[in-house]
């Protein structure tokens, strides 16, 4: 600890111990604890206490004081725990009987302060920190802490209850680890007394009829199997698994969620040869209700090593609801084994029809679980792609009311699901996920048909519509290409022809979310299919490009931003609205550039301006025809507009654009891999001079230097990187010496210093290339980069500053030396 | 067990403030079942259904000796069978070929014309009236109107059936109803048609006609539109009412209008007596549009809830439809096309104009003119602004700012919305395209809309957007085929859908629900949609046109007041804690459906017979009352008592109604039943009296 902190510490301890002083907020106390943790990790706690006796005094004082706040008491308990984590310091504190007074029955445990959850939480955390060595274990046993922890498992404060469970696991782990660990038998007769006590408590809880108690036991075990990897956990499972299995015999199964968590936690750490475990999992799957079994089934299917039989059973659980829907909606009895091993059973039907919430919950979970499984390498094989597609389509049709089931169950399902947005969203997500696989053409046609139905339907809510567009995009992008040709297949083209009138109508929707979704869809479609003749033809024949352009003036800024991105993308592919003047083909394109520049300069919202900058950067990078025509003028105009922008993201994007321009002039930056062995590639002198001339003309340096001292750190960092790159490129340039002495450089440096001081009113004026190079060398860019890499409050974050702040807050310091930030 | 099973003891229900001296803690019965007075028990409610249209209802309720007509909607679907009435000579319509029978017989070709495979009657459109034969409409005491759409048949009822009663409606319903009628009369009268077709209505001829003419029902009762004179006369019979106002009908029934949330001044009605309550729910909405919100709480505790006027398009969400309307409107106009919106001059149009007010600037449509053409356009737009008390809270508060509650005032002020009485006159000078025109009639058979259909029908740039749900848009378009203009169907019906009905019924919990038969089964075209029907317990009772339905409640109680002096004379006896009884001897006086118990007249004093005999002397003198008995006789104890008193050889037999105690030695039979005890002995009066006294020991007397 540095001397200045040592000097401030007694005053701080006095403040903390004084109930009349308003203590700084909880954040300060937390920071203080973090600091003590760091100090004790770096050195001896004992020494710390000996050098700063005020700390022990504080702990004693806390015990004596009657009217101290619960926050300070909690803080003191945690602080004591931090010190006592080192065994010698633990002994030192024990000599003063401080620890029993803090954590024993004579301490806060028996007093009125115990009613405050913060105190109980501090007590647990203190013990959790100090329980690191055998002495601590003896102490715990001696002061009867374990029994208190048992009772705190049922604490009304969830934080306290959860922390109590975790502390039990920590103690158990501490007790069981050690040299004798491997030799301990599952029978536990040779387990340490403390471990036997905890395990006995867990056993009692598992046998209890009180469900919260069972839940507590299961949670403790889940934590143990999830976080402890010692051999003893296997022994523990051998001992407790019969009790866990007995829970399955009860109807309904108690604490099913916690049970599932436990079994999955055990399964993740168990060897694949553990037959008993797999048997328990199989039993659990068959005992739990369809809703409860879903998460377990998904967890089993995600396991790396698991018997095939169990996987089949688990997969069947996930497929059941969909099988049920398929069967109920079938016009005629379908082929047997549509979803093999998952024929709809009556229990599932009853669950689905029991209530709307049960039906919706079950279907949403099944769809979500299957959607998560779909992309995994360990997903069940063979994957029933076709029936799943059929089920997703059927569910969507039931939800839209377009399905006409003839069976009674189908009719009731339809009545429950019709218009249900939650199921619609889940099914559309799932349908989108299924686009990664193939399916028979007939089913794919049905998929596109149901997607179109949703896109057309006025009843589709904006969220459903967004999902429908996302699913459509995925299916369109995954549709097969015509053999021997890079164009879209005939089915997709047919679909596109039907889709475009829908897009037209949706672009005129009074709901801005809908307009936004269409524009996002259009952007993505154009990005991926802009070069395909079928898409281009269909798009150009529609009014979509023109309507998209009109939305650049939309009243909603999100829509304007999306319209900017969409028109930018359309323009990149030459798909923007047809020129207004036939004899002047470039007129419309140029007007788009002007219009986007106008948005950049005048739009009152940040989103459209950011979008314009991204479009411009992309245009410059891709060599958009209109930009390439006069890139210099383009860059100059954009940088001028961006430099004045109040939105830091626009300015940062301006630097991105400047970097692209630099790379185009000077060549790519080196490998992005920081560990790559490569010498910096410098530009040939002739090229460099020419490039610097250009950069000076477009006033890139003015923009970059101004950004270097930007009040927003990301902008300054980006600018620093850009200038470092430029300096690396310009390294061998020899004319710097002379330029460095010129009056031009001196005045620029003076201006920059003023900018750094916050006076950015004065312009830099025209810079000669030589002066630029000299400036790049004279500025300590590396130092600046390191400073910027520090967090903005690195000065204020020092422990000294923290102590000063806390003291200043209560007026102990003569003058307020705290930084105002 | 009570000797008087019809005498009801229910202190809570007793309402008798006049009782004065009677201790309220022993508040006692004044409620008598009808039968107590020898009144014949009968159904108190009967409902006559005069209209088969669930959203244009016309029902007659007979309730507690009053006859109440609930709405008188006019089904205008019949007009779809007629050719449109063009405002300007239409060569296309006048050159349509006449229709002839399959055998070539063309005797109907003057009456029937063919257009694109459909046959239409070339005559003044006629309307299908409510049933007039099912019940003598001159006996109707009152007509309750729930909204302006449901009063369009009023002149037919009040002017041609001998009706002499009163019509009750809210002021906005009357004023806007008048506008609708005025517009209808104007639309039809301004295009006089010399020809009147009646030959086709002959039953033998009608069955030879193609559908839908062949299937049209009761064509003989179809009538031409009424005149303005009849409208004025009908409206003069209306008495204005306000929400929650209680109106007494003949002392027997009280009716109260409640806000239904559907339209300006729209109402549901509570029809109640002291012990029965019927709720009439017609055309209600839970959506937040311009009218006052629906009053649901007052519908609670109904014996019967008559449910009509649900949405006609249960699968279309009004919000989605408004979105669809705006999108299609903008798309058409941006492409240089015109938009035609066939509509009524009031109602949804206010909400549409409000939506457009918010939408047009954002959609870049500020320069597009909006025209509202109707003979009553001006009145409708102005009326809407003055009915502040009937508007939703938000709009009401605007009035105090002060601002017009509806934004169409601003649209008019900024010249974005212009209104004209007709296409003739100023409109033709101002008219510029592309534009949006709101005009009637939604049936497309009369009104200015006919002109625009003829004018714009040939261009695919134009669009007709149907927003009114009353007519099938395909049938409405039939006489305009072939049609190039785009047709969009966005029916906006804000009335209750089945989900909302289900919630409403759970909330108000009526004992019985009565509704049109269409609501008790899924729509024919979507037979699997069991969610599109009323689902309640017990199942709803359904009715159809020309059907009489006995409402499922019994007349059980009547309220009878007791005169204070009579109450003073009563001496209640507490027969068990909280329940006291007293015998009452009184005269029941009934007048104007009010019943009063008065003290009985004193026995006539012997006055020497000189005075003139008064009417009250006819009332028979009250006899000296014997004590009243109650309780039951425990057979075993009774037998023991008999044995104690020296009777032997006693035999007890169980019967269906009780027991028979047989005293074999005395040759006597005692029949003990739930509400009677008979002692049958052979002329031994002493024995009978002894036995009677033993029986009486087990009973309470008062």
């Amino acid at each position: 600890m540095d001397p200045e902190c040592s000097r401030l510490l007694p005053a701080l301890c006095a403040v903390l111990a004084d109930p009349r002083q308003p203590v700084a907020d909880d954040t300060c106390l937390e920071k203080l604890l973090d600091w003590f943790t760091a100090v004790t990790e770096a050195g001896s706690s004992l020494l710390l206490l000996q050098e700063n006796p005020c700390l022990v005094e504080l702990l004693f004082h806390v015990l004596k004081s009657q009217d101290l706040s619960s926050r300070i008491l909690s803080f003191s308990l945690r602080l004591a725990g931090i010190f006592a984590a080192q065994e010698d310091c633990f002994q030192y504190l024990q000599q003063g009987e401080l620890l029993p007074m803090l954590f024993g029955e004579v301490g806060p445990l028996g007093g009125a302060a115990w009613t405050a959850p913060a105190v109980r939480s501090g007590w647990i955390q203190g013990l959790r920190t100090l329980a690191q060595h055998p002495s601590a274990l003896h102490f715990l046993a001696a002061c009867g802490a374990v029994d208190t922890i048992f009772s705190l498992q049922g604490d009304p404060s969830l934080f306290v209850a959860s922390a109590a469970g975790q502390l039990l696991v920590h103690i158990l782990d501490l007790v069981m680890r050690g040299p004798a660990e491997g030799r301990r038998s599952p029978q536990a007769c040779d387990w340490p007394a403390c471990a036997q006590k905890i395990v006995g408590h867990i056993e009692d809880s598992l046998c209890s009829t009180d469900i919260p108690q069972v839940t507590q036991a299961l949670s403790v075990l889940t934590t143990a199997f999830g976080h402890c990897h010692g051999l003893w956990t296997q022994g523990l499972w051998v001992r407790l698994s019969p009790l866990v299995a007995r829970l399955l015999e009860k109807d309904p199964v108690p604490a099913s969620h916690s049970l599932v968590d436990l079994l999955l936690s055990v399964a993740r750490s168990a060897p694949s040869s553990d037959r008993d475990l797999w048997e328990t999992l199989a039993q659990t799957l068959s005992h739990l209700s369809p809703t409860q079994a879903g998460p377990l089934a998904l967890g089993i299917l995600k396991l790396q090593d698991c018997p095939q039989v169990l996987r089949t059973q688990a997969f069947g659980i996930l497929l059941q609801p969909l099988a049920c829907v398929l069967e109920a909606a079938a016009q005629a009895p379908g082929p047997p084994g549509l979803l093999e091993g998952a024929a709809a059973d009556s229990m599932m039907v009853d669950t689905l029809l029991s209530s709307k919430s049960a039906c919706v919950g079950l279907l949403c979970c099944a769809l979500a679980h299957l959607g998560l499984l779909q992309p995994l390498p360990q997903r069940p094989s063979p994957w029933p792609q076709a029936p799943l597609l059929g089920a997703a389509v059927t569910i969507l049709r039931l939800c839209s009311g377009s399905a006409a089931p003839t069976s009674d169950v189908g009719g009731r399902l339809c009545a429950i699901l019709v218009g249900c947005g939650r199921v619609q969203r889940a099914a559309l997500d799932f349908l989108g996920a299924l686009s990664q696989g193939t399916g028979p053409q007939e089913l794919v046609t049905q998929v596109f048909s149901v997607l179109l139905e949703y896109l057309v339907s006025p009843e589709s809510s904006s969220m459903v519509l967004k999902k429908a567009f996302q699913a459509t995009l995925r299916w369109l992008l995954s549709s097969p290409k015509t053999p021997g040709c890079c164009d879209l297949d005939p089915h997709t083209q047919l679909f596109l022809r039907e889709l475009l009138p829908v897009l037209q109508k949706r672009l005129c929707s009074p709901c801005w979310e809908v307009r936004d979704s269409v524009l996002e869809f259009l952007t993505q479609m154009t990005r991926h299919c802009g070069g395909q003749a079928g898409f281009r033809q269909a798009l150009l024949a529609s009014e979509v490009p023109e309507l998209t352009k009109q939305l650049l003036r939309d009243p909603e800024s999100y829509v304007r931003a999306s319209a900017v991105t969409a028109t930018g993308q359309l323009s990149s592919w030459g798909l923007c609205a047809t020129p207004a003047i036939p004899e002047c083909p470039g007129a419309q394109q140029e007007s788009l550039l002007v219009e986007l520049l106008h948005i950049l300069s005048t739009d009152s919202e940040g989103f459209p301006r950011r979008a314009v900058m991204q479009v411009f950067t992309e245009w410059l990078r891709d060599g958009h025809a209109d930009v390439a025509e006069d890139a210099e003028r383009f860059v100059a105009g954009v940088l001028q507009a961006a430099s004045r922008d109040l939105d830091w993201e626009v300015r940062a994007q301006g630097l991105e654009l400047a970097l692209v321009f630099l790379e185009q002039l000077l060549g790519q930056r080196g490998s992005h891999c920081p560990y790559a062995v490569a010498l910096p590639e410098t530009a040939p002198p002739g090229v460099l001079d020419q490039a610097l001339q250009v950069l000076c003309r477009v006033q890139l340096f003015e923009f970059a230097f101004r950004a270097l001292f930007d009040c927003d750190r990301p902008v300054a960092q980006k600018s620093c990187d850009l200038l470092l790159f430029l300096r690396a490129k310009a390294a061998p340039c020899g004319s710097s010496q002379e330029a460095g002495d010129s009056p031009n450089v001196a005045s620029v440096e003076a201006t920059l210093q003023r900018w750094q001081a916050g006076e950015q009113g004065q312009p830099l004026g025209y810079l000669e290339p030589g002066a630029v190079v000299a400036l790049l060398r004279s500025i300590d860019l590396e130092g600046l980069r390191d400073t910027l890499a520090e967090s903005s409050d690195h000065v204020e974050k020092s422990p000294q500053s923290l102590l000063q702040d806390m003291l200043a807050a209560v007026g102990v310091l003569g003058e307020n030396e705290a930084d105002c930030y | 067990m009570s000797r008087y099973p019809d005498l009801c003891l229910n202190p809570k229900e007793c309402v008798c403030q006049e009782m004065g001296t009677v201790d309220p803690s022993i508040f006692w019965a004044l409620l008598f079942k009808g039968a107590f007075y020898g009144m014949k028990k009968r159904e108190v409610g009967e409902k006559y259904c005069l209209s088969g249209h669930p959203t244009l209802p016309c029902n007659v309720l007979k309730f507690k000796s009053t006859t109440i007509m609930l709405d008188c909607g006019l089904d205008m679907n019949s007009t779809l069978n007629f050719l449109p009435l063009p405002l300007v000579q239409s060569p296309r319509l006048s050159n349509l070929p006449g229709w002839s029978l399959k055998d070539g017989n063309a005797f109907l070709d003057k009456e029937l014309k063919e257009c694109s495979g459909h046959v239409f009657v070339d005559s003044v459109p006629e309307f299908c009236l409510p049933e007039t034969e099912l019940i003598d409409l001159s006996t109707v005491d009152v007509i309750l109107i729930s909204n302006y759409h449901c009063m369009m048949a009023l002149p037919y009822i009040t002017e041609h059936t001998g009706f002499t009663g009163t019509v009750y409606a809210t002021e906005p319903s009357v004023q806007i109803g008048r506008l609708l009628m005025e517009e209808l009369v104007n639309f039809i009268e301004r295009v006089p048609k010399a020809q009147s077709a009646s030959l086709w209505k002959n039953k033998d001829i009608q069955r030879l006609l193609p559908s839908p003419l062949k299937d049209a029902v009761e064509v003989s009762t179809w009538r031409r539109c009424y005149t303005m004179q009849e409208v004025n006369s009908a409206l003069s019979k209306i008495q204005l009412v306000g929400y929650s106002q209680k109106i007494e009908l003949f002392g027997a029934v009280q009716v109260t209008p409640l806000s239904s949330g559907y339209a300006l001044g729209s109402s549901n009605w509570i029809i109640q007596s002291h012990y029965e309550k019927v709720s009439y729910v017609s055309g209600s909405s839970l959506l937040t549009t311009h009218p006052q919100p629906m009053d649901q709480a007052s519908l609670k505790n109904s014996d019967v809830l008559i449910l009509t006027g649900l949405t006609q398009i249960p699968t279309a969400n009004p919000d989605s439809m408004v979105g669809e309307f705006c999108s299609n409107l903008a798309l058409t106009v941006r492409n240089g096309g015109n938009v035609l919106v066939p509509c009524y001059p009031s109602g949804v149009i206010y909400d549409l104009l409000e939506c457009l007010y918010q939408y047009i600037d954002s959609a870049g449509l500020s320069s597009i003119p909006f025209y509202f053409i109707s003979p009553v356009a001006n009145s409708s737009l102005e009326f809407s602004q003055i009915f502040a008390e009937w508007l939703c809270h938000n709009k009401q508060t605007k009035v105090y700012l002060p601002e017009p509650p509806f934004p169409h005032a601003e649209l008019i002020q900024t010249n974005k919305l212009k209104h004209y009485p007709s296409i003739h006159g100023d409109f033709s000078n101002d008219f510029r395209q592309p534009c949006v025109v709101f005009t009637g009639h939604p049936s497309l058979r009369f009104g200015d809309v006919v002109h625009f259909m003829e004018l714009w029908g040939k261009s695919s740039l134009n669009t007709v957007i149907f927003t009114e749900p009353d007519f099938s848009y395909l049938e409405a378009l039939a006489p305009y085929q072939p049609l190039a203009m785009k047709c969009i169907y966005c029916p906006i019906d804000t009335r209750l859908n089945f989900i909302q009905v289900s919630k409403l019924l759970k909330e108000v919990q009526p004992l019985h629900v009565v509704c049109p038969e269409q609501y008790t089964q899924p729509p024919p075209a979507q037979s699997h949609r069991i969610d599109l029907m009323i689902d309640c317990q017990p199942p709803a009772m359904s009715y159809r046109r020309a059907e009489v339905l006995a409402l499922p409640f019994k007349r059980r109680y009547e309220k009878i007041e007791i005169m204070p002096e009579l109450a003073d004379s009563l001496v209640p006896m507490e027969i068990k804690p909280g329940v006291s009884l007293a015998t009452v001897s009184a005269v029941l006086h009934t007048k104007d459906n009010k019943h009063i118990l008065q003290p009985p007249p004193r026995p006539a004093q012997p006055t020497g017979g000189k005075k003139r005999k008064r009417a009250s002397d006819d009332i028979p003198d009250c006899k000296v009352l014997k004590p009243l008995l109650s309780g039951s006789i425990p057979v075993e104890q009774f037998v023991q008592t008999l044995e104690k008193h020296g009777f032997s050889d006693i035999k007890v037999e169980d019967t269906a109604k009780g027991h028979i105690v047989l005293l074999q030695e005395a040759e006597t039979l005692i029949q003990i039943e739930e509400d009677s005890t008979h002692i049958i002995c052979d002329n031994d009066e002493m024995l009978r009296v002894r036995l009677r006294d033993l029986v009486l020991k087990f009973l309470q007397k008062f």
Side-chain angles (χ1 to χ4, degrees), chain A residues 42-234:
Chain A
S44 161
S45 300
L46 182 59
L47 206 60
L48 178 70
L49 293 190
Q50 284 167 344
E51 286 173 357
N52 299 282
C54 61
L55 289 170
V56 178
E57 282 164 22
L58 169 69
L59 297 178
F60 272 113
H61 188 85
V62 163
L63 284 169
K64 284 181 215 148
S65 181
Q66 294 298 313
D67 44 3
L68 211 56
S69 80
S70 57
R71 290 189 304 165
I72 297 297
L73 192 52
S74 173
F75 166 81
S76 306
L77 289 164
R78 292 169 67 188
L79 188 63
I82 291 170
F83 296 142
Q86 291 179 11
E87 202 157 6
D88 54 350
C89 191
F90 175 86
Q91 305 295 356
Y92 173 74
L93 292 172
Q94 273 291 63
Q95 283 165 18
E97 290 293 312
L98 185 63
L99 291 177
M101 284 194 281
L102 280 169
F103 295 103
E105 283 182 7
V106 290
L109 184 54
W114 194 247
T115 52
V119 174
R120 300 199 296 277
S121 176
W123 186 86
I124 292 176
Q125 289 181 59
L127 284 184
R128 168 78 176 76
T129 320
L130 75 79
Q132 305 293 341
H133 39 77
S135 307
L137 284 177
H138 292 133
F139 168 70
L140 288 174
C143 72
V146 176
D147 289 316
T148 310
I149 301 168
F150 289 160
S151 67
L152 286 176
Q153 277 186 288
D155 198 272
S157 160
L158 289 178
F159 294 105
V160 174
S162 163
Q166 285 172 14
L167 178 55
L168 276 185
V169 174
H170 177 75
I171 295 169
L172 194 59
D173 194 36
L174 187 66
V175 174
M176 295 296 287
R177 270 187 291 139
E181 185 189 357
R183 285 178 272 119
R184 285 196 175 115
S185 72
Q187 277 68 38
C189 47
D190 63 338
W191 286 17
C194 184
Q196 293 214 34
K197 186 171 183 171
I198 294 173
V199 174
H201 171 72
I202 295 172
E203 282 174 333
D204 291 346
S205 300
L206 285 175
C207 298
S208 168
T209 51
D210 180 34
I211 292 179
Q213 215 175 327
V214 179
T215 310
Q216 287 161 19
L218 293 171
S219 303
V220 167
L221 289 177
T222 306
T223 312
F225 289 107
H227 294 88
C228 309
H229 306 292
L231 286 172
W232 65 271
T233 54
Q234 290 173 27

Side-chain angles (χ1 to χ4, degrees), chain A residues 438-628:
Chain A
T438 52
Q441 184 55 47
E442 189 192 332
L443 263 175
V444 174
T445 308
Q446 281 185 34
V447 167
F448 278 112
S449 154
V450 81
L451 285 172
L452 196 63
E453 188 192 320
Y454 269 75
L455 294 174
V456 169
S457 170
E459 298 302 320
S460 298
S461 70
S462 57
M463 268 311 288
V464 168
L465 206 58
K466 192 181 177 76
K467 297 277 182 194
F469 272 121
Q470 286 169 349
T472 306
L473 182 71
R474 295 183 74 172
W475 275 94
L476 280 173
L477 298 184
S478 68
S479 23
K481 306 284 180 291
T482 309
C485 161
C486 64
D487 208 355
L488 303 168
D489 75 314
H491 293 287
T492 312
Q493 287 196 23
L494 195 67
F495 175 75
L496 269 183
R497 272 202 287 278
E498 290 182 86
L499 177 67
L500 283 161
V502 179
L503 296 188
Q504 279 169 204
K505 191 183 74 179
R506 295 291 189 189
L507 283 172
C508 297
S509 169
C511 174
W512 72 262
E513 290 94 337
V514 172
R515 300 197 296 273
D516 199 49
S517 298
V518 183
L519 290 169
E520 281 175 5
F521 171 78
L522 185 65
T523 305
Q524 293 303 323
M525 268 306 283
T526 311
R527 196 183 300 281
H528 292 98
C529 305
Q532 294 179 5
F535 175 73
R536 298 177 64 86
Q537 209 176 351
L539 193 70
L540 287 172
S542 75
E543 291 147 29
V544 168
E546 177 56 35
L547 288 168
T548 306
K549 197 157 175 283
Q550 286 182 19
L551 291 181
L552 291 174
R553 290 184 291 276
D554 198 276
E556 181 60 51
S557 64
Y558 297 116
V559 178
R560 288 203 299 280
S562 298
V564 165
T565 314
T567 45
Q569 193 58 235
L570 286 171
S571 175
S572 295
W573 291 98
L575 288 167
C576 224
T578 43
I581 315 154
E583 61 273 18
C584 181
Q588 192 77 15
Q589 292 285 345
E590 193 179 294
S591 76
L592 178 62
L593 180 63
V594 171
E595 195 155 354
L596 293 187
L597 264 175
H598 181 72
I599 291 173
L600 180 63
S601 318
T602 58
D603 203 299
S604 57
E605 299 283 337
F607 301 109
R609 303 201 306 269
R610 290 178 203 169
V612 170
M613 286 305 296
Q614 276 162 357
V615 166
F616 282 164
T617 310
E618 217 165 297
W619 279 7
L620 183 65
R621 187 179 287 131
D622 299 344
H624 188 286
D626 297 317
V627 173

Side-chain angles (χ1 to χ4, degrees), chain A residues 336-353:
Chain A
L338 191 63
L339 291 182
E340 209 165 334
D345 69 0
S346 60
M347 189 179 164
M348 178 60 68
V349 174
D350 290 346
T351 310
L352 279 173
L353 298 180

Side-chain angles (χ1 to χ4, degrees), chain B residues 45-59:
Chain B
E46 274 180 340
K47 201 179 79 66
Y48 297 74
C49 175
L50 312 186
S51 158
H53 198 303
T55 35
L56 296 167
C58 183
N59 295 303

Side-chain angles (χ1 to χ4, degrees), chain A residues 403 418 458-459 505 508 543 555, chain B residues 317 320 324 335 359 362 528 531:
Chain A
V418 76
E459 298 302 320
K505 191 183 74 179
C508 297
E543 291 147 29
Chain B
N317 175 347
S320 312
E324 196 74 356
N335 287 335
Y359 178 65
S362 65
H528 66 285
D531 56 313

Side-chain angles (χ1 to χ4, degrees), chain B residues 402-445:
Chain B
E403 269 179 30
F406 285 95
H408 55 239
E410 197 183 319
L411 287 175
I412 295 168
Q413 223 167 27
T414 53
N415 263 341
K416 286 177 183 164
L417 174 67
K418 294 180 179 183
H419 55 88
Y420 305 89
S422 146
I423 53 167
H424 300 302
D426 289 346
F427 173 71
S428 41
N429 300 328
D430 298 346
F431 180 53
R432 63 187 171 84
Q433 304 181 74
C435 64
V436 180
V437 171
F438 294 88
T439 190
H441 186 270
S443 65
L444 304 191
R445 292 303 179 269

Side-chain angles (χ1 to χ4, degrees), chain A residues 294-344:
Chain A
L296 180 60
L298 178 68
I300 290 171
L301 289 166
K302 279 181 171 177
L303 292 174
Q304 294 294 337
D305 295 310
C306 174
Q308 187 56 37
V309 182
L310 186 61
R311 288 173 62 80
T312 307
Q313 188 189 355
F315 196 38
I317 298 273
L318 294 187
L319 295 177
Q320 274 279 3
L322 305 195
C324 208
V325 170
L326 268 183
E327 196 173 302
Q331 294 295 333
L338 191 63
L339 291 182
E340 209 165 334

